[in-house]
Structures are given as structure tokens and as C-alpha cells.
Amino acid sequence: LGGLYFFSLPFKQTYQHLITTFQDKSKYPLFISTDLEGCVNMLESVQTFPYANQIQTPEEAYRVGLEMGTLLQELGFNLDLAPVLDLEDTIWHCRSYYGSVEEVSAKATGLVQGLHAQGIFATAKHFPGRTLNTLDTHKEQASAEIVEQDLFPFDYLITQGVDFVMINHL
């Protein structure tokens, strides 16, 4: 079991060449991942997508997931570290879906289904929530009080077939 994570590279061909080379030389198939989550876009040099907070409906989330999945599949990726299920984003202001906990869950499910339609694994993150409304945990230690509402999207997406759950940085 192994994998690679790719940050931003300048060209589609660069991704395709590197990913194919690594997969061909690996004894076992690798997970090839990136954060294509709406907002932070490691593939921005190749294609841009709406921010998560701009997505209005589960149907739109599905279409975005389908487009993301198409690009990821074309480049050789098989794992997207998305969607973000934190209910509020006061740090980046773009990584979380807007709406009630049910609306957030439905939009995230749409994104996952779009990714799955292109053969891409999806990751619910950042369990158990509250990562994006404390301090930037990429840079500082923080703590948060988790409530049942924070857990709902994760429980829901697990029942809907999300492939992975990423633990938060807290």
C-alpha cells in the first residue's frame, strides 16, 4: 500500500508523465492524490473550478465532481482529498459548502458521486469538523469543541459510500 501526493505542476503532460512513470515502476498500484476541493486547487495551472462556497445545489456539486473527476482521471490521479465537510470556513472563506447541515451533506454527496462516476476515490475531511473556524491548523496548534452537528456530514457521507475519511489537523 502506498501513494503519492502531487502539488501544483505547470502542465498536463508533466502530471501524466510522472504518474505513469511511478505507476509503471511500482510493484503495486499506487494511490495518486491531490487536494482538488474547490478553493485550494493544486491543479490550478491546468483547470479551475468553482469554490465549494459557490456551489448552490447537489446537482451542481455533481457536475463539478464529474468535471473534477474527468480531469483527475485524464491526468492519472485516482484519489481526491475532497470534499471538505467542515460546516464553516472562517480561515480560507471558500472551502466549505454553505447551507444547513443537510444541504452541506447533500452537496458533498453530489461531489462524491461525480468523482465516483469517473472512477476517482473521494475523501471526507476534516473529521470531526471545526478545522476551518479556529486557527489555521496548517500553521498553529488549535482546539475546538465538536458538537453532534459537526459529525452529521461525516456519518451521512459514510452511508453514501465515501471511500476515505481524513482526520483533521487539530
Side-chain angles (χ1 to χ4, degrees), residues 45-57:
S45 63
V46 176
Q47 186 173 341
T48 60
F49 296 95
Y51 292 172
N53 66 357
Q54 297 172 323
I55 295 174
Q56 300 296 313
T57 65

Side-chain angles (χ1 to χ4, degrees), residues 41-97:
N41 179 355
M42 298 301 176
L43 304 178
E44 194 168 64
S45 63
V46 176
Q47 186 173 341
T48 60
F49 296 95
Y51 292 172
N53 66 357
Q54 297 172 323
I55 295 174
Q56 300 296 313
T57 65
E59 294 77 21
E60 183 182 356
Y62 175 82
R63 286 190 302 275
V64 170
L66 196 61
E67 290 176 28
M68 288 177 169
T70 299
L71 176 63
L72 290 167
Q73 195 277 333
E74 177 186 345
L75 298 179
F77 289 90
N78 54 23
L79 171 58
D80 190 6
L81 302 178
V84 171
L85 299 182
D86 297 72
L87 298 176
E88 184 180 16
D89 179 4
T90 61
I91 296 170
W92 301 65
H93 306 285
C94 58
R95 294 174 77 188
S96 293
Y97 298 105

Side-chain angles (χ1 to χ4, degrees), residues 111-165:
L111 186 88
V112 168
Q113 290 171 342
L115 291 170
H116 283 173
Q118 294 300 320
I120 305 297
F121 294 112
T123 307
K125 66 182 196 185
H126 307 91
F127 182 83
R130 298 278 174 184
T131 302
L132 301 176
N133 66 350
T134 59
L135 302 171
D136 187 345
T137 56
H138 296 96
K139 300 174 184 176
E140 304 176 65
Q141 288 186 339
S143 64
E145 182 178 335
I146 306 300
V147 297
E148 192 169 324
Q149 184 177 1
D150 296 314
L151 302 175
F152 182 90
F154 295 95
D155 290 340
Y156 186 79
L157 258 69
I158 289 168
T159 68
Q160 299 301 305
V162 73
D163 306 291
F164 298 96
V165 175

